[in-house]
Amino acid sequence: MGRAAGRKGLHLCYHTHGTEFDPSPDGTMFDTLAKLSNPKFVNFEMDIFWIVYGYQDPVKLLSRYPGAFL
């Protein structure tokens, strides 16, 4: 979807919620989503409430994924 948006001059920005921090083989579902996303086409919007609700540390996420959040 990010590539298709890019062809139209748009950039996809995904808004996170608590469910992205459920477990996955990569750590959390967010880790899987970030791993499968090309930052050239997709970035993430950090909603502090949902990050904390998902038992994550916003500062650690920003450090782990530099440039991924707009």
Side-chain angles (χ1 to χ4, degrees):
M1 288 176 46
R3 251 184 250 276
R7 286 193 292 271
K8 300 291 183 182
L10 301 172
H11 191 88
L12 183 65
C13 191
Y14 184 87
H15 180 91
T16 59
H17 294 87
T19 58
E20 286 87 1
F21 303 104
D22 290 344
S24 83
D26 296 308
T28 66
M29 295 300 290
F30 181 80
D31 294 320
T32 301
L33 186 59
K35 175 181 160 185
L36 297 174
S37 299
N38 182 337
K40 181 177 177 185
F41 302 111
V42 179
N43 286 98
F44 301 96
E45 178 184 41
M46 183 180 284
D47 184 320
I48 300 298
F49 172 82
W50 288 114
I51 300 296
V52 174
Y53 182 85
Y55 303 104
Q56 302 299 305
D57 181 331
V59 174
K60 287 182 182 176
L61 276 176
L62 289 170
S63 296
R64 190 177 326 149
Y65 297 103
F69 293 95
L70 296 179

